[in-house]
Amino acid sequence: MSFSLSAYFEGSGTRFRLHPQSPVLEDFREPETVWLSSPRGSLAPGPSDRRMYALTPIAKRPYLDEDCPPYCGPVHPPAMPGPDGHFDHVAPDSPAFLAVHMFGSIRRVLDIWEVYSGGPVPWHFQMSFPRLELIAHVPWRNAHFGSGYCECGEDADDAGVMRPFALNFDIIAHEVGHGLVFAIAGIPPVGTLTTDYLAFHESASDLVAIVSALHFESFVDHILRRTKGDLHAENELNRIGELSGTRQIRSASNALRLPDLAYRGKPPDQLTGHQIHELGQPLTGAFFDIGVEFFIARLVALGVVTPAEAALLREVQGVEDLDTAERARIRARYLQDPALFRRAIRDARDMLGLRLARSWHRLRPQNLHFGDVSRCFLISDRELSGSRYTENIRECFAWRGIIADM
Ligand SMILES: [Zn+2]
């Protein structure tokens, strides 16, 4: 049911080494070797190809609203492909690795979502800029994806050490998520932008980051080891854009409901960036719960839990107490047969990713509301699975105060 990109592109594609999560975290200090879709030998120095090119400027200020590529200032030497066309020989401590990691992470996210989307996803700005410019480092505590560029800054970890975002897969995947949503769901015409559209954008980008990270074998193993199969336990799956073992920028498994956020009714120009991120969290939380719902359904299909046990697990979803009998039972099952849990999590990942991409194709960006997002997701799910999951999905949205306009 699920697919492995590295297995698919092994031999024909190009090897890179990527950190599945911030290398600040001990389990991800060593990058994992992955295969990207770029045909072997097709990548030029940078790395670069027909779609994008990576640069590491020596001293560049971040692009502002009126700026646009190309950047023509001084840059560090580009990363060179190895004699066999791969980039996995570039050492993580070399200056060129930032550009390699950023290029590889973006290509990886595109590979994943082009499968879910059913084909190539062109950049939304391709009429103005033929290629995406990747700026691997600017002295700035942020990252952004604009017309023709994606730019990564840096931030301090808990010990005060500056950590470049170009090495943080979650942050890069979130930024590429914005590009994917612009390209697939579209950009609202003037006068039709809603607060919900902006919040949906942040939420969808977080979901791109979560689903994409789950394509790393070491990340799936790490999640299962930490949670012992109980995905609601607080762990790295719930954290996006992590800077240390205890600090994160956004949280996917959250208890926020739309009615809790009083400023929801305000027009987009009266909200701060932080408020828009927060407004997206009930939507992200609903999709996180739906992903766990798919995971439980796959555990039932694989014979790991009975339908009656699955019903009990659903009841304790979101309950803080981790010591319920049902949760203890699922952890015991995991220790008996971790391979089945690995399979269930990969299946759930692809069920969620496929339905998300399909629902974005259905959305209309003008005057968008969360009810449109949930409706398009329900329709996409029904296309693939009939009515099997409809009620549970509807409940996940309803608990968050999101009602599908059918
Ligand atoms: Zn964002």
Side-chain angles (χ1 to χ4, degrees):
M1 198 164 193
S2 58
F3 66 95
S4 161
L5 287 172
S6 280
Y8 191 75
F9 295 118
E10 187 169 352
S12 65
T14 304
R15 277 196 315 265
F16 274 67
R17 295 175 75 204
L18 303 179
H19 296 286
Q21 293 282 279
S22 165
V24 175
L25 302 168
E26 197 163 334
D27 279 7
F28 303 106
R29 224 150 266 172
E30 273 303 303
E32 179 178 326
T33 300
V34 299
W35 288 85
L36 303 181
S37 65
S38 314
R40 193 168 54 164
S42 68
L43 297 183
S48 61
D49 63 10
R50 277 187 300 182
R51 244 193 123 165
M52 51 192 187
Y53 58 97
L55 303 174
T56 311
I58 289 169
K60 175 188 179 301
R61 63 167 179 78
Y63 279 133
L64 300 172
D65 281 349
E66 64 275 15
D67 295 332
C68 61
Y71 170 73
C72 299
V75 292
H76 289 286
M80 303 300 288
D84 46 6
H86 300 297
F87 278 84
D88 57 344
H89 66 286
V90 180
D93 58 356
S94 77
F97 189 69
L98 285 187
V100 171
H101 193 271
M102 188 174 178
F103 184 98
S105 299
I106 293 180
R107 188 61 255 176
R108 174 87 163 165
V109 176
L110 289 175
D111 284 349
I112 294 163
W113 290 87
E114 287 183 344
V115 171
Y116 293 141
S117 198
V121 180
W123 303 124
H124 63 281
F125 49 74
Q126 66 172 4
M127 300 301 279
S128 314
F129 302 96
R131 294 197 297 167
L132 178 73
E133 182 179 85
L134 318 185
I135 301 289
H137 182 256
V138 282
W140 183 49
R141 294 193 173 201
N142 211 338
H144 59 171
F145 189 102
S147 271
Y149 65 87
C150 182
E151 192 163 53
C152 280
E154 59 191 349
D155 202 0
D157 64 16
D158 286 349
V161 177
M162 294 310 275
R163 299 288 183 172
F165 289 154
L167 297 184
N168 190 318
F169 182 82
D170 274 331
I171 288 176
I172 297 171
H174 175 95
E175 295 308 323
V176 180
H178 281 301
L180 289 168
V181 176
F182 277 132
I184 300 175
I187 300 171
V190 177
T192 65
L193 174 72
T194 58
T195 297
D196 278 13
Y197 175 85
L198 294 177
F200 153 73
H201 233 285
E202 294 304 335
S203 165
S205 303
D206 279 355
L207 291 162
V208 165
I210 297 170
V211 171
S212 302
L214 284 168
H215 279 265
F216 289 96
E217 296 299 322
S218 58
F219 185 64
V220 170
D221 285 347
H222 173 88
I223 295 296
L224 286 172
R225 239 186 357 260
R226 290 276 290 258
T227 61
K228 298 190 175 57
D230 177 7
L231 292 193
H232 267 89
E234 182 72 20
N235 65 74
E236 277 67 21
L237 181 62
N238 304 345
R239 295 170 178 171
I240 308 160
E242 185 141 28
L243 295 171
S244 74
T246 54
R247 203 151 59 90
Q248 74 233 32
I249 297 176
R250 293 172 286 267
S251 173
S253 171
N254 63 72
L256 277 177
R257 304 176 196 221
L258 268 191
D260 301 336
L261 300 170
Y263 44 78
R264 188 195 171 200
K266 284 192 174 177
D269 56 356
Q270 289 180 23
L271 294 173
T272 64
H274 173 76
Q275 287 173 324
I276 287 168
H277 277 109
E278 195 170 50
L279 272 173
Q281 289 207 357
L283 193 58
T284 311
F287 283 119
F288 181 85
D289 295 342
I290 291 167
V292 175
E293 188 61 49
F294 289 150
F295 173 67
I296 294 174
R298 291 306 298 153
L299 287 180
V300 174
L302 293 167
V304 180
V305 297
T306 65
E309 287 170 331
L312 284 170
L313 275 171
R314 285 190 187 102
E315 274 176 34
V316 296
Q317 258 190 59
V319 176
E320 291 297 317
D321 177 12
L322 295 179
D323 295 324
T324 61
E326 292 72 31
R327 286 184 158 180
R329 208 172 299 145
I330 202 163
R331 291 199 290 265
R333 294 275 164 80
Y334 165 72
L335 293 173
Q336 277 169 8
D337 200 344
L340 282 179
F341 280 73
R342 220 171 283 137
R343 198 168 141 193
I345 204 170
R346 285 197 208 109
D347 289 350
R349 168 199 78 193
D350 292 342
M351 289 169 75
L352 183 63
L354 188 60
R355 285 157 178 77
L356 283 170
R358 284 190 171 217
S359 67
W360 299 339
H361 278 285
R362 284 184 182 281
L363 278 175
R364 295 285 164 267
Q366 53 270 40
N367 303 310
L368 182 142
H369 292 286
F370 280 0
D372 303 317
V373 178
S374 53
R375 173 176 46 85
C376 289
F377 189 86
L378 278 158
I379 294 171
S380 302
D381 174 70
R382 222 177 271 163
E383 264 180 6
L384 294 163
S385 306
S387 59
R388 198 184 315 167
Y389 306 116
T390 305
E391 225 21 69
N392 288 338
I393 293 174
R394 211 185 272 277
E395 274 172 27
C396 292
F397 285 127
W399 191 85
R400 303 282 173 170
I402 300 166
I403 307 300
D405 307 322
M406 299 301 275

